[in-house]
């Protein structure tokens, strides 16, 4: 009888090993924890790091920009804090530290509170107007191919940024069959299936034109469309996150939109900043992100090879976002982003 019981128990353990059941793996992982007082003393460094991450997220608005725009840099990549949490949990398991594993729950809860709404699918159906924005890259080796990709998106209105004088005729020819109307101001342009009027450059305090506005005569009435490319930011060892020109331009663009007389407004462009970045508050305080309101996931758009941040934005005012998404990669270093809105 004892021999039979032993054989049965052995067969059961071997069966667990063969099937690799999660329960058996967890038992082996936690073996030796019971009765070990060290589980509450080990992993203090992991615990401190987890709590520090929670503070970085909770107090992100209080991190000053006076030191190399550190606050804006943190806010640009803040969602990626979540990628550290599974690693911390694994380290806590391997270290056999109960206190570290409990501490990881604190930043996890904070992260879900900040970004949990973005990972859910909020896309809808219907809508009246499809819009696309794309930084086509001044050094784009295939502008004609990029134009074809944009034209195939099904958009009614398209904004292109970082246009060069040499590339503009290429885009004009390639988009002419799809979009009957277009206007170009400086390095930005708008192509539309509906008539455009009252087109003018927007002064964003740069000394040359990188922003414009135009009125699109949609079947549901006029819509003011702004196309903008705010100055780039850089991360420098000796200067931190250099963004002063971008911040000044954001304030100027926000001021222009604030006095817009057309009720419904859509902003399309490369803002070189995320919706979390406080430096864009002159814009984001009065407009909604289509991705945040009706997208699925974060909708990262840059860099195209491995998107880490959404710096290409579609923002709306008195317009209802229906769905928002990123388009397939073109020859640019940015992904095109699109949205369907209700008027």
């Amino acid at each position: 009888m004892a021999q039979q019981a032993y054989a049965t128990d052995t067969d059961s353990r071997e069966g667990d090993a063969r099937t690799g059941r999660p329960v058996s793996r967890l038992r082996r992982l936690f073996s030796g924890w019971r009765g070990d007082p060290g589980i509450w003393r080990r992993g203090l460094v992991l615990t401190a790091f987890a709590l520090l991450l929670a503070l970085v997220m909770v107090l992100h608005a209080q991190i000053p920009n006076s030191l190399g725009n550190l606050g804006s840099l943190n806010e640009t990549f803040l969602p990626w804090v979540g990628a550290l949490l599974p690693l911390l949990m694994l380290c806590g398991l391997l270290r056999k530290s109960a206190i570290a594993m409990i501490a990881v729950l604190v930043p996890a809860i904070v992260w879900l509170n900040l970004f949990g709404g973005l990972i859910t699918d909020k896309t809808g159906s219907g809508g009246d107007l499809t819009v696309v924005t794309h930084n086509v890259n001044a050094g784009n080796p295939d502008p004609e191919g990029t134009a074809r990709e944009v034209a195939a998106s099904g958009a009614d209105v398209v904004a292109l940024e970082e246009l060069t004088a040499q590339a503009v005729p290429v885009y004009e020819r390639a988009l002419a069959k799809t979009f009957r109307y277009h206007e170009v101001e400086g390095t930005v342009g708008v192509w539309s299936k509906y008539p455009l009027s009252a087109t003018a450059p927007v002064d964003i305090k740069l000394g040359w034109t990188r922003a414009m506005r135009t009125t699109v005569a949609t079947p549901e009435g006029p819509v003011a469309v702004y196309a903008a490319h705010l100055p780039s930011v850089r991360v420098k060892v000796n200067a931190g996150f250099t963004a002063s020109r971008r911040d000044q331009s954001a304030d100027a663009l926000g001021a222009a939109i604030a006095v817009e007389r057309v009720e419904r407004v859509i902003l399309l462009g490369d803002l070189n900043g995320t919706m979390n970045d406080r430096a864009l508050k002159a814009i984001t305080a009065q407009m909604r992100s289509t991705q945040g309101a009706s997208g699925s996931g974060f909708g990262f758009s840059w860099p195209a090879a491995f998107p880490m941040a959404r710096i290409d934005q579609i923002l709306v005012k008195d317009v209802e976002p229906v769905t928002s998404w990123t388009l397939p990669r073109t020859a640019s270093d940015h992904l095109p982003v699109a949205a369907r809105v209700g008027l």
Side-chain angles (χ1 to χ4, degrees):
M1 182 70 71
Q3 251 184 339
Q4 183 177 0
Y6 173 77
T8 301
D9 182 59
T10 303
D11 290 344
S12 174
R13 287 198 301 270
E14 289 177 351
D16 285 349
R18 283 194 302 270
T19 59
R21 290 187 299 181
V23 173
S24 301
R25 290 177 178 175
L26 284 174
R27 284 200 193 105
R28 290 195 297 272
L29 192 59
F30 284 100
S31 62
W33 284 50
R34 183 177 297 176
D36 179 5
I39 63 174
W40 300 104
R41 295 196 295 267
R42 290 190 294 266
L44 295 181
V45 173
L46 288 174
T47 300
F49 187 66
L51 296 178
L52 178 62
L53 287 181
L55 286 175
V56 166
M57 289 187 287
V58 170
L59 303 177
H60 69 88
Q62 277 66 54
I63 297 176
N65 261 343
S66 55
L67 181 61
N69 282 288
L70 188 60
S72 286
L73 177 61
N74 172 60
E75 288 164 340
T76 297
F77 298 103
L78 198 59
W80 286 96
V81 171
L84 298 175
L85 302 183
L87 179 60
L88 283 178
M89 181 65 75
L90 178 61
C91 290
L93 283 171
L94 296 177
R95 190 76 177 89
K96 293 186 178 181
S97 170
I99 190 171
M101 292 182 65
I102 293 172
V104 172
L105 294 176
V106 179
I109 292 170
V110 174
W111 190 92
L112 286 172
N113 182 59
L114 288 174
F115 303 110
L118 290 175
I119 59 179
T120 59
D121 188 350
K122 302 176 290 299
T123 57
S125 58
D128 305 301
L129 192 72
T130 300
V131 295
V132 166
T133 181
H134 190 23
N135 180 328
V136 295
N137 186 4
N140 190 319
D142 184 20
E144 188 172 356
T146 298
R148 285 197 302 267
E149 293 288 339
V150 170
S153 67
D156 300 303
V157 178
V158 168
L160 301 182
E161 303 88 46
E162 212 164 294
L163 295 170
T164 63
Q166 295 77 18
V168 167
V170 178
Y171 288 106
E172 289 176 333
R173 287 193 300 269
L175 296 173
K177 291 183 180 180
T178 306
F179 302 100
R180 184 176 177 182
Y181 309 94
H182 83 279
E183 296 283 355
V184 175
E185 296 284 350
T187 61
V188 294
V190 172
W191 276 257
S192 172
K193 293 180 179 179
Y194 306 117
L196 304 176
S197 63
T199 303
V202 176
D203 182 11
I204 56 172
K205 311 302 181 185
L206 287 176
W208 70 96
T209 302
R210 283 176 49 148
M212 62 177 285
R213 64 88 59 206
T214 189
T215 301
V216 181
T218 76
E220 288 73 29
V223 178
V225 171
Y226 284 73
H229 182 196
L230 298 189
S232 300
V233 297
R234 298 286 185 269
V235 180
K236 298 180 180 179
V237 175
N238 61 339
F241 193 60
T242 58
S244 58
R245 298 188 75 186
R246 189 277 313 267
D247 300 350
Q248 182 184 28
S249 290
D251 290 343
L253 181 59
I257 293 172
V259 297
E260 173 60 54
R261 294 185 178 182
V262 177
E263 181 180 1
R264 292 175 292 196
V265 183
I266 299 176
L267 169 59
L268 307 169
D270 174 4
L271 303 188
N272 271 305
T274 68
M275 292 299 292
N276 297 316
D277 193 335
R278 75 193 70 172
L280 302 184
K281 64 182 179 181
I283 301 169
T284 57
Q286 58 180 318
M287 306 190 81
R288 299 172 69 192
S289 163
T290 58
Q291 183 67 25
S294 62
S296 177
F298 291 97
F300 294 148
S301 64
W302 177 87
F306 186 81
M308 297 184 65
R310 185 180 178 88
I311 62 175
D312 300 276
Q313 306 289 355
I314 299 176
L315 306 180
V316 296
K317 184 177 182 180
D318 290 321
V319 171
E320 187 61 31
V322 174
T323 184
S324 188
W325 67 100
T326 57
L327 293 169
R329 185 179 179 182
T330 69
S332 172
D333 57 342
H334 291 243
L335 294 179
V337 298
R340 181 83 176 159
V341 299
L343 302 178

